[in-house]
Amino acid sequence: MSSFKRLVEQAEKLTAKLQEYSGLEKHLVENVIHYAKQLPGDGRGEIDQLIFIAQMAHQFEIYSPNLLQSMFESWKRPRATTMTIEEYSKLICMFLSTKPGIKTDFVFNVYDVDRDGCINRTELFSLLRSTMVITETEFTEADTNECIKELIDLTLKMMDHDLSGDINRSEFKESANKDSVYLQIFGQCLPSDQTLDRFRKLLLGMTPLELKAYFAEEKKKSLFNTMATLTQDNELYPIQLDIP
């Protein structure tokens, strides 16, 4: 079999695999893959953490450094230091998918920073603390910590159905199935609907050659533009605390 024919078959196999996973149309999946192929920076065909963070901020308006790092760690292969084109393409397809529940496991894994199968009080404290901005000068660190502990108690009251003191995967899924707001409850790790609609239209409106040209400088542009905006506010966070 010629190397060209083998490459074509591999591309078709990957497209079909991601179509089945996400339920997206073939042209959209193909262009997701073409976009992803413009991002590797070391000749090995893989995406490092810096490029990943830059793309999440530049294209998908996700800015929290802590959550971006957890997103990268939870999605790539265990013990790997980079993300493959297939892994990155699958992530973008997951973002774009409208399949019920497809995003829930991803979000849970991002919030479960230590990968032990539950979101515990320590993780809840860290996640909620990173979303808060203190606007009252007399609001001390102790005041902040007390407010966070109250938020944690309220959260566990809503989501910890077995009273174990943490939130397991099934409890998180149950809450997310009832209300999608739980997919952003501890910080943004999914793009907004408006951002996804823009990106979907961009991909659908281009041929593979047009897309390759459009994203040819994407890595360089995103690295340049992103470093100064990683702390930018998004629609829901940070939470601002004021003393009554």
Side-chain angles (χ1 to χ4, degrees), residues 82-133:
T82 57
M83 188 176 288
T84 66
I85 295 297
E86 179 175 340
E87 288 170 333
Y88 186 82
S89 298
K90 184 178 180 180
L91 177 70
I92 306 308
C93 287
M94 183 269 291
F95 283 166
L96 293 167
S97 177
T98 58
K99 271 190 173 182
I102 194 172
K103 298 176 174 67
T104 308
D105 276 324
F106 167 74
V107 174
F108 179 85
N109 290 338
V110 173
Y111 291 158
D112 178 19
V113 179
D114 64 8
R115 319 285 178 240
D116 69 347
C118 66
I119 307 170
N120 57 43
R121 281 184 172 271
T122 300
E123 288 164 330
L124 289 171
F125 187 93
S126 177
L127 290 164
L128 291 171
R129 183 65 182 88
S130 67
T131 68
M132 291 183 174
V133 169

Side-chain angles (χ1 to χ4, degrees), residues 144-160:
T144 304
N145 291 344
E146 189 60 33
C147 285
I148 295 172
K149 290 175 183 177
E150 291 178 4
L151 283 172
I152 291 172
D153 289 340
L154 178 61
T155 300
L156 290 174
K157 185 176 181 180
M158 293 188 299
M159 301 179 70
D160 178 21

Side-chain angles (χ1 to χ4, degrees), residues 168-214:
N168 61 41
R169 189 178 299 273
S170 63
E171 289 169 336
F172 187 81
K173 284 184 176 181
E174 182 179 344
S175 296
N177 288 339
K178 290 178 180 178
D179 192 334
S180 61
V181 73
Y182 285 96
L183 294 177
Q184 305 276 28
I185 191 170
F186 305 127
Q188 184 193 10
C189 53
L190 293 172
S192 69
D193 291 341
Q194 294 83 355
T195 298
L196 289 175
D197 186 56
R198 171 193 59 77
F199 194 73
R200 182 184 289 106
K201 288 178 179 178
L202 177 67
L203 294 188
L204 286 174
M206 292 187 183
T207 66
L209 287 178
E210 289 171 336
L211 190 141
K212 184 176 181 180
Y214 183 89

